[in-house]
Protein backbone atom coordinates (compact mmCIF):
# COMPACT_ATOMS: atom_id res chain seq x y z
CA UNK A 1 0.00 0.00 0.00
CA UNK A 2 1.02 3.59 -0.56
CA UNK A 3 -0.95 5.49 2.06
CA UNK A 4 -4.45 4.01 1.93
CA UNK A 5 -4.20 2.96 -1.69
CA UNK A 6 -3.02 0.13 -3.86
CA UNK A 7 -1.04 2.34 -6.20
CA UNK A 8 -0.31 0.83 -9.61
CA UNK A 9 0.29 4.09 -11.47
CA UNK A 10 4.07 3.89 -11.49
CA UNK A 11 7.13 2.78 -9.55
CA UNK A 12 7.77 6.49 -8.98
CA UNK A 13 5.13 6.38 -6.22
CA UNK A 14 7.39 4.21 -4.05
CA UNK A 15 8.05 5.66 -0.61
CA UNK A 16 11.47 5.55 1.04
CA UNK A 17 11.94 2.46 3.21
CA UNK A 18 12.37 2.81 7.00
CA UNK A 19 16.06 1.99 6.52
CA UNK A 20 16.35 4.89 4.07
CA UNK A 21 14.69 7.28 6.45
CA UNK A 22 17.13 6.32 9.19
CA UNK A 23 20.11 6.71 6.88
CA UNK A 24 18.81 10.09 5.74
CA UNK A 25 18.43 11.32 9.30
CA UNK A 26 21.91 10.24 10.27
CA UNK A 27 23.84 11.09 7.08
CA UNK A 28 26.99 13.17 7.46
CA UNK A 29 26.56 16.14 5.12
CA UNK A 30 28.37 19.20 3.83
CA UNK A 31 28.11 21.73 1.03
CA UNK A 32 28.23 19.58 -2.09
CA UNK A 33 28.84 22.57 -4.37
CA UNK A 34 32.17 22.93 -2.54
CA UNK A 35 32.61 19.16 -2.84
CA UNK A 36 32.22 18.85 0.94
CA UNK A 37 29.42 16.31 1.24
CA UNK A 38 30.88 12.90 2.14
CA UNK A 39 27.58 11.08 1.59
CA UNK A 40 27.18 12.41 -1.94
CA UNK A 41 30.80 11.55 -2.61
CA UNK A 42 30.17 8.02 -1.41
CA UNK A 43 27.06 7.65 -3.56
CA UNK A 44 28.79 8.96 -6.68
CA UNK A 45 31.71 6.61 -6.12
CA UNK A 46 29.38 3.69 -5.61
CA UNK A 47 27.32 4.48 -8.72
CA UNK A 48 30.44 4.76 -10.87
CA UNK A 49 31.71 1.47 -9.47
CA UNK A 50 28.48 -0.43 -10.06
CA UNK A 51 28.14 0.80 -13.64
CA UNK A 52 31.90 0.42 -14.15
CA UNK A 53 32.43 4.01 -15.31
CA UNK A 54 35.07 6.52 -14.26
CA UNK A 55 32.74 8.98 -12.57
CA UNK A 56 29.17 9.75 -11.55
CA UNK A 57 27.02 12.75 -10.72
CA UNK A 58 23.94 13.01 -8.52
CA UNK A 59 21.09 14.92 -10.19
CA UNK A 60 17.60 15.89 -9.01
CA UNK A 61 15.61 13.79 -11.50
CA UNK A 62 15.79 11.50 -14.48
CA UNK A 63 14.61 14.25 -16.79
CA UNK A 64 17.35 16.47 -15.40
CA UNK A 65 19.95 13.76 -15.99
CA UNK A 66 18.83 13.16 -19.56
CA UNK A 67 18.70 16.84 -20.42
CA UNK A 68 22.03 17.46 -18.73
CA UNK A 69 23.58 14.65 -20.77
CA UNK A 70 22.11 16.09 -23.97
CA UNK A 71 23.46 19.53 -23.12
CA UNK A 72 26.88 18.12 -22.34
CA UNK A 73 27.17 15.93 -25.44
CA UNK A 74 25.78 18.27 -28.09
CA UNK A 75 26.01 21.71 -29.64
CA UNK A 76 22.77 23.56 -30.36
CA UNK A 77 21.47 22.77 -33.83
CA UNK A 78 22.77 19.19 -33.71
CA UNK A 79 20.57 16.25 -34.55
CA UNK A 80 20.13 13.36 -32.12
CA UNK A 81 18.82 9.98 -33.26
CA UNK A 82 16.25 8.70 -30.77
CA UNK A 83 13.82 5.78 -30.49
CA UNK A 84 10.43 7.16 -31.57
CA UNK A 85 8.69 6.45 -28.28
CA UNK A 86 11.59 7.37 -26.01
CA UNK A 87 10.90 9.29 -22.81
CA UNK A 88 13.19 12.12 -23.94
CA UNK A 89 10.95 12.72 -26.94
CA UNK A 90 7.53 11.92 -25.50
CA UNK A 91 7.63 12.94 -21.86
CA UNK A 92 10.20 15.66 -21.23
CA UNK A 93 8.13 18.71 -22.16
CA UNK A 94 10.12 19.32 -25.33
CA UNK A 95 13.12 20.21 -23.17
CA UNK A 96 15.63 19.10 -25.80
CA UNK A 97 14.45 21.95 -28.04
CA UNK A 98 14.32 24.36 -25.12
CA UNK A 99 17.56 23.66 -23.24
CA UNK A 100 20.10 22.13 -25.63
CA UNK A 101 18.25 23.39 -28.72
CA UNK A 102 18.87 20.18 -30.59
CA UNK A 103 16.65 18.41 -33.08
CA UNK A 104 15.45 14.96 -32.13
CA UNK A 105 15.20 12.56 -35.06
CA UNK A 106 12.85 9.70 -34.13
CA UNK A 107 13.26 6.22 -35.61
CA UNK A 108 10.70 3.45 -35.22
CA UNK A 109 11.46 1.38 -32.14
CA UNK A 110 9.64 -1.98 -32.15
CA UNK A 111 10.89 -4.04 -29.23
CA UNK A 112 12.71 -0.91 -28.06
CA UNK A 113 15.16 -1.31 -30.94
CA UNK A 114 15.88 0.96 -33.86
CA UNK A 115 16.83 -0.69 -37.12
CA UNK A 116 20.64 -0.55 -37.50
CA UNK A 117 20.44 0.03 -41.26
CA UNK A 118 18.02 2.85 -40.70
CA UNK A 119 20.34 4.39 -38.11
CA UNK A 120 23.15 4.25 -40.68
CA UNK A 121 20.96 5.87 -43.31
CA UNK A 122 19.82 8.55 -40.88
CA UNK A 123 23.27 9.74 -39.85
CA UNK A 124 23.85 12.99 -41.71
CA UNK A 125 26.56 13.39 -44.28
CA UNK A 126 28.41 16.52 -45.13
CA UNK A 127 25.86 18.63 -47.00
CA UNK A 128 25.26 22.34 -46.56
CA UNK A 129 21.58 21.68 -45.85
CA UNK A 130 22.11 19.18 -43.07
CA UNK A 131 22.42 19.48 -39.34
CA UNK A 132 25.26 17.61 -37.68
CA UNK A 133 24.38 14.24 -36.16
CA UNK A 134 26.20 14.03 -32.85
CA UNK A 135 24.48 11.52 -30.61
CA UNK A 136 22.54 8.26 -30.67
CA UNK A 137 20.04 7.75 -27.87
CA UNK A 138 19.14 4.43 -26.29
CA UNK A 139 16.48 3.68 -23.71
CA UNK A 140 16.81 0.57 -21.57
CA UNK A 141 14.54 -0.66 -20.21
CA UNK A 142 12.28 0.96 -22.79
CA UNK A 143 9.29 2.61 -21.13
CA UNK A 144 6.93 0.43 -23.15
CA UNK A 145 8.09 -2.57 -21.13
CA UNK A 146 10.95 -4.03 -23.14
CA UNK A 147 14.43 -4.91 -21.98
CA UNK A 148 16.59 -4.11 -24.99
CA UNK A 149 19.06 -6.95 -25.66
CA UNK A 150 22.80 -6.50 -25.37
CA UNK A 151 23.35 -7.36 -29.06
CA UNK A 152 21.36 -4.31 -30.13
CA UNK A 153 23.32 -2.04 -27.83
CA UNK A 154 26.61 -3.41 -29.13
CA UNK A 155 25.45 -2.84 -32.68
CA UNK A 156 24.53 0.78 -31.96
CA UNK A 157 27.91 1.30 -30.29
CA UNK A 158 29.59 -0.09 -33.40
CA UNK A 159 27.67 2.29 -35.67
CA UNK A 160 28.45 5.22 -33.37
CA UNK A 161 32.14 4.36 -33.46
CA UNK A 162 32.18 4.14 -37.24
CA UNK A 163 30.72 7.64 -37.45
CA UNK A 164 32.44 9.20 -34.46
CA UNK A 165 29.17 9.73 -32.57
CA UNK A 166 28.43 9.53 -28.85
CA UNK A 167 25.89 7.18 -27.30
CA UNK A 168 23.70 8.08 -24.34
CA UNK A 169 21.58 5.51 -22.56
CA UNK A 170 18.44 6.56 -20.75
CA UNK A 171 18.69 3.79 -18.21
CA UNK A 172 16.01 5.09 -15.86
CA UNK A 173 15.29 1.40 -15.22
CA UNK A 174 18.66 -0.05 -16.22
CA UNK A 175 18.64 -2.52 -13.32
CA UNK A 176 15.24 -3.83 -14.36
CA UNK A 177 16.62 -4.29 -17.86
CA UNK A 178 19.74 -6.03 -16.58
CA UNK A 179 17.72 -8.45 -14.45
CA UNK A 180 15.35 -9.21 -17.32
CA UNK A 181 18.28 -9.88 -19.65
CA UNK A 182 20.30 -11.82 -17.09
CA UNK A 183 23.35 -9.55 -17.44
CA UNK A 184 25.08 -7.08 -15.13
CA UNK A 185 24.00 -3.46 -15.49
CA UNK A 186 27.63 -2.50 -16.14
CA UNK A 187 27.60 -4.79 -19.16
CA UNK A 188 24.75 -2.68 -20.62
CA UNK A 189 26.43 0.58 -19.61
CA UNK A 190 29.72 -0.43 -21.19
CA UNK A 191 28.54 0.45 -24.70
CA UNK A 192 27.27 3.94 -23.85
CA UNK A 193 29.38 7.06 -23.26
CA UNK A 194 26.92 8.20 -20.63
CA UNK A 195 24.09 6.57 -18.73
CA UNK A 196 21.34 8.11 -16.66
CA UNK A 197 19.54 5.93 -14.15
CA UNK A 198 16.91 6.61 -11.51
CA UNK A 199 17.21 5.97 -7.78
CA UNK A 200 13.65 7.11 -7.25
CA UNK A 201 11.68 4.49 -9.18
CA UNK A 202 11.75 0.79 -8.30
CA UNK A 203 14.75 1.43 -6.05
CA UNK A 204 12.51 3.47 -3.69
CA UNK A 205 14.74 6.48 -3.00
CA UNK A 206 12.57 9.57 -2.55
CA UNK A 207 14.56 11.80 -4.93
CA UNK A 208 17.36 11.58 -7.40
CA UNK A 209 19.02 10.07 -10.42
CA UNK A 210 22.62 9.47 -11.42
CA UNK A 211 24.56 10.27 -14.56
CA UNK A 212 27.68 8.20 -15.16
CA UNK A 213 30.42 8.52 -17.75
CA UNK A 214 34.12 9.19 -18.11
CA UNK A 215 35.83 11.76 -15.91
CA UNK A 216 35.96 14.50 -18.55
CA UNK A 217 32.27 14.12 -19.35
CA UNK A 218 31.21 14.18 -15.70
CA UNK A 219 33.43 17.21 -15.03
CA UNK A 220 31.67 19.09 -17.82
CA UNK A 221 28.28 17.78 -16.71
CA UNK A 222 29.00 18.98 -13.16
CA UNK A 223 29.48 22.51 -14.45
CA UNK A 224 26.37 22.27 -16.62
CA UNK A 225 24.41 20.99 -13.63
CA UNK A 226 25.34 24.23 -11.87
CA UNK A 227 24.29 26.21 -14.92
CA UNK A 228 20.87 24.54 -14.88
CA UNK A 229 20.43 25.19 -11.17
CA UNK A 230 20.75 21.56 -10.18
CA UNK A 231 23.78 21.85 -7.89
CA UNK A 232 22.57 21.30 -4.33
CA UNK A 233 24.09 21.96 -0.92
CA UNK A 234 23.67 19.49 2.00
CA UNK A 235 22.22 16.97 -0.41
CA UNK A 236 23.75 14.04 1.44
CA UNK A 237 20.35 13.67 3.12
CA UNK A 238 19.10 12.50 -0.28
CA UNK A 239 22.24 10.68 -1.31
CA UNK A 240 21.97 8.58 1.86
CA UNK A 241 18.73 7.09 0.55
CA UNK A 242 20.41 6.58 -2.83
CA UNK A 243 23.15 4.50 -1.21
CA UNK A 244 20.54 2.21 0.34
CA UNK A 245 18.79 2.09 -3.04
CA UNK A 246 21.96 0.83 -4.72
CA UNK A 247 23.12 -1.53 -2.01
CA UNK A 248 19.82 -3.03 -0.82
CA UNK A 249 17.13 -2.52 -3.43
CA UNK A 250 18.61 -3.67 -6.75
CA UNK A 251 18.49 -7.45 -6.40
CA UNK A 252 14.92 -7.43 -5.14
CA UNK A 253 13.66 -5.85 -8.40
CA UNK A 254 13.22 -9.40 -9.63
CA UNK A 255 10.27 -9.64 -7.22
CA UNK A 256 8.59 -6.73 -9.00
CA UNK A 257 9.00 -8.56 -12.30
CA UNK A 258 7.48 -11.68 -10.78
CA UNK A 259 4.55 -9.68 -9.44
CA UNK A 260 3.99 -8.17 -12.89
CA UNK A 261 3.88 -11.64 -14.42
CA UNK A 262 1.56 -12.81 -11.65
CA UNK A 263 -0.75 -9.88 -12.39
CA UNK A 264 -0.66 -10.57 -16.13
CA UNK A 265 -1.58 -14.22 -15.55
CA UNK A 266 -4.55 -13.10 -13.46
CA UNK A 267 -5.66 -10.73 -16.22
CA UNK A 268 -5.45 -13.59 -18.70
CA UNK A 269 -8.48 -15.16 -17.02
CA UNK A 270 -10.69 -12.27 -18.16
CA UNK A 271 -11.92 -12.69 -21.69
CA UNK A 272 -12.67 -8.95 -21.79
CA UNK A 273 -9.00 -8.14 -21.38
CA UNK A 274 -6.09 -8.36 -23.76
CA UNK A 275 -2.61 -8.31 -22.23
CA UNK A 276 0.38 -7.16 -24.29
CA UNK A 277 2.39 -10.35 -23.71
CA UNK A 278 5.31 -9.20 -25.82
CA UNK A 279 6.00 -6.33 -23.43
CA UNK A 280 6.29 -8.07 -20.11
CA UNK A 281 10.05 -7.95 -19.55
CA UNK A 282 10.07 -5.77 -16.44
CA UNK A 283 7.66 -4.51 -13.77
CA UNK A 284 4.96 -3.30 -16.16
CA UNK A 285 1.80 -4.86 -17.50
CA UNK A 286 0.05 -3.30 -20.48
CA UNK A 287 -3.52 -4.21 -21.33
CA UNK A 288 -6.63 -3.16 -23.24
CA UNK A 289 -10.30 -3.94 -22.87
CA UNK A 290 -11.74 -6.02 -25.68
CA UNK A 291 -15.14 -4.43 -25.09
CA UNK A 292 -16.15 -0.81 -24.91
CA UNK A 293 -15.40 0.55 -21.46
CA UNK A 294 -15.77 4.14 -20.40
CA UNK A 295 -12.24 4.84 -19.25
CA UNK A 296 -13.13 7.67 -16.92
CA UNK A 297 -15.69 5.47 -15.19
CA UNK A 298 -13.16 2.67 -14.82
CA UNK A 299 -10.40 4.83 -13.34
CA UNK A 300 -12.91 6.45 -10.94
CA UNK A 301 -14.35 3.09 -9.94
CA UNK A 302 -10.89 1.84 -9.13
CA UNK A 303 -10.11 4.96 -7.10
CA UNK A 304 -13.33 4.65 -5.12
CA UNK A 305 -12.33 1.08 -4.34
CA UNK A 306 -8.88 2.04 -3.11
CA UNK A 307 -6.82 1.51 -6.27
CA UNK A 308 -4.94 4.21 -8.12
CA UNK A 309 -4.30 3.64 -11.82
CA UNK A 310 -3.40 6.04 -14.59
CA UNK A 311 -5.85 6.81 -17.37
CA UNK A 312 -5.07 4.81 -20.52
CA UNK A 313 -2.86 6.01 -23.30
CA UNK A 314 -4.80 5.59 -26.53
CA UNK A 315 -6.94 2.90 -24.90
CA UNK A 316 -4.01 1.05 -23.36
CA UNK A 317 -3.53 0.78 -19.61
CA UNK A 318 -0.19 0.40 -17.87
CA UNK A 319 0.02 -1.17 -14.43
CA UNK A 320 3.32 -0.99 -12.59
CA UNK A 321 4.37 -3.25 -9.74
CA UNK A 322 6.86 -2.20 -7.07
CA UNK A 323 8.10 -2.63 -3.50
CA UNK A 324 4.89 -1.25 -1.98
CA UNK A 325 2.51 -3.56 -3.84
CA UNK A 326 2.10 -7.00 -2.31
CA UNK A 327 0.78 -10.07 -4.07
CA UNK A 328 -2.35 -9.97 -1.90
CA UNK A 329 -2.97 -6.44 -3.12
CA UNK A 330 -2.75 -7.64 -6.68
CA UNK A 331 -5.41 -10.21 -5.79
CA UNK A 332 -7.54 -7.38 -4.35
CA UNK A 333 -7.10 -5.37 -7.54
CA UNK A 334 -8.21 -8.35 -9.60
CA UNK A 335 -11.31 -8.84 -7.43
CA UNK A 336 -12.26 -5.18 -7.86
CA UNK A 337 -11.71 -5.48 -11.60
CA UNK A 338 -13.96 -8.54 -11.69
CA UNK A 339 -16.64 -6.66 -9.79
CA UNK A 340 -16.36 -3.74 -12.21
CA UNK A 341 -16.80 -5.96 -15.23
CA UNK A 342 -19.87 -7.58 -13.67
CA UNK A 343 -21.49 -4.40 -12.40
CA UNK A 344 -20.64 -1.82 -15.02
CA UNK A 345 -20.95 -2.04 -18.73
C1 LIG B 1 10.97 8.13 -15.39
C2 LIG B 1 11.79 8.19 -16.60
C3 LIG B 1 12.59 9.30 -16.87
C4 LIG B 1 12.54 10.57 -16.07
O1 LIG B 1 12.68 10.48 -14.71
P1 LIG B 1 12.04 11.58 -13.75
O2 LIG B 1 12.81 11.39 -12.49
O3 LIG B 1 10.60 11.27 -13.66
O4 LIG B 1 12.29 12.93 -14.36
C5 LIG B 1 13.39 9.26 -18.00
N1 LIG B 1 13.40 8.19 -18.80
C6 LIG B 1 12.65 7.12 -18.58
C7 LIG B 1 12.72 5.96 -19.51
C8 LIG B 1 11.81 7.08 -17.48
O5 LIG B 1 11.05 6.01 -17.27
Amino acid sequence: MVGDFIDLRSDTVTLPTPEMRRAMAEAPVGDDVYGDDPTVEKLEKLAAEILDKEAALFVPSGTFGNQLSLLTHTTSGDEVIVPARAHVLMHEVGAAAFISRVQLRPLEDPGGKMDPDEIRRTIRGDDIHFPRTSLIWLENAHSLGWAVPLEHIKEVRQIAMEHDLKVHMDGARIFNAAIALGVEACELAKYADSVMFCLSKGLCAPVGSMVVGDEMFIKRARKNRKLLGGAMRQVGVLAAAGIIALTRMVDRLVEDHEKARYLAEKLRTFQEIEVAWDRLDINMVFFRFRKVVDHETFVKYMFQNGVKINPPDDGEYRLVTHYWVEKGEIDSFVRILEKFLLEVR
Side-chain angles (χ1 to χ4, degrees):
M1 300 280 264
V2 180
D4 294 329
F5 284 87
I6 298 169
D7 199 334
L8 300 171
R9 289 174 300 174
S10 176
D11 46 12
T12 56
V13 304
T14 46
L15 305 173
T17 63
E19 189 183 6
M20 282 177 183
R21 289 190 187 268
R22 275 194 301 279
M24 292 170 78
E26 289 161 11
V29 294
D31 188 332
D32 185 50
V33 180
Y34 281 106
D36 284 353
D37 193 304
T39 311
V40 174
E41 197 181 328
K42 189 172 163 188
L43 171 64
E44 290 180 346
K45 210 160 154 262
L46 181 65
E49 235 169 66
I50 292 173
L51 278 272
D52 198 17
K53 294 285 187 198
E54 285 174 16
L57 188 67
F58 183 73
V59 293
S61 71
T63 300
F64 197 110
N66 276 343
Q67 295 302 325
L68 177 65
S69 300
L70 261 182
L71 182 64
T72 308
H73 278 305
T74 63
T75 302
S76 60
D78 283 358
E79 190 165 70
V80 178
I81 297 175
V82 305
R85 290 166 291 181
H87 193 278
V88 68
L89 181 74
M90 302 297 283
H91 294 117
E92 298 188 11
V93 209
F98 193 86
I99 298 171
S100 303
R101 292 174 292 144
V102 293
Q103 171 161 294
L104 300 183
R105 183 85 181 272
L107 299 189
E108 290 298 317
D109 55 358
K113 296 178 283 191
M114 299 179 284
D115 176 42
D117 291 332
E118 203 184 346
I119 296 176
R120 284 198 171 85
R121 281 198 303 275
T122 304
I123 295 168
R124 303 288 194 154
D126 186 22
D127 181 297
I128 195 169
H129 301 90
F130 291 168
R132 182 178 78 112
T133 308
S134 57
L135 182 65
I136 307 179
W137 196 269
L138 290 168
E139 184 169 302
N140 207 9
H142 192 287
S143 16
L144 284 180
W146 295 294
V148 180
L150 196 53
E151 295 69 50
H152 178 70
I153 294 163
K154 284 186 187 170
E155 205 161 9
V156 168
R157 163 91 274 170
Q158 182 59 35
I159 297 170
M161 262 164 47
E162 285 163 15
H163 293 85
D164 202 18
L165 308 179
K166 301 288 186 198
V167 176
H168 173 78
M169 183 181 291
D170 176 348
R173 296 188 182 84
I174 193 171
F175 297 108
N176 297 86
I179 285 169
L181 296 166
V183 301
E184 295 290 330
C186 62
E187 189 58 23
L188 296 173
K190 186 171 160 185
Y191 303 96
D193 296 284
S194 57
V195 178
M196 182 286 288
F197 68 89
C198 292
L199 302 166
S200 61
K201 292 188 170 167
L203 301 183
C204 291
V207 178
S209 295
M210 305 300 301
V211 175
V212 299
D214 69 25
E215 241 157 64
M216 229 12 246
F217 176 81
I218 293 298
K219 186 167 177 231
R220 289 168 52 232
R222 193 176 291 279
K223 186 152 179 143
N224 282 337
R225 182 184 68 173
K226 186 75 183 123
L227 181 152
L228 295 175
M232 296 173 283
R233 302 296 178 174
Q234 285 72 29
V235 67
V237 290
L238 299 179
I243 291 168
I244 308 286
L246 284 180
T247 51
R248 307 292 294 246
M249 305 301 282
V250 170
D251 290 342
R252 64 149 304 284
L253 289 174
V254 68
E255 296 168 25
D256 298 343
H257 297 191
E258 281 161 12
K259 283 183 279 191
R261 228 145 292 141
Y262 178 76
L263 171 57
E265 287 297 338
K266 294 266 168 179
L267 293 182
R268 192 204 281 279
T269 61
F270 295 91
Q271 60 181 25
E272 300 94 332
I273 284 178
E274 188 173 347
V275 174
W277 290 102
D278 63 328
R279 284 193 269 142
L280 205 59
D281 290 345
I282 57 168
N283 60 334
M284 297 175 179
V285 179
F286 295 86
F287 78 89
R288 293 174 181 278
F289 286 108
R290 284 207 178 93
K291 65 174 197 175
V292 179
V293 164
D294 183 66
H295 296 306
E296 224 170 288
T297 308
F298 177 57
V299 173
K300 207 166 139 199
Y301 185 93
M302 280 291 154
F303 186 84
Q304 283 163 350
N305 284 279
V307 180
K308 288 185 187 175
I309 57 170
N310 275 328
D313 181 7
D314 200 17
E316 182 177 83
Y317 288 88
R318 183 192 75 167
L319 304 175
V320 185
T321 56
H322 51 77
Y323 183 81
W324 297 97
V325 183
E326 282 168 19
K327 255 193 179 157
E329 290 163 17
I330 292 173
D331 294 332
S332 303
F333 164 78
V334 171
R335 275 196 300 277
I336 297 162
L337 174 62
E338 192 170 17
K339 216 160 63 107
F340 172 82
L341 289 169
L342 284 174
E343 285 173 15
V344 190
R345 61 193 69 242

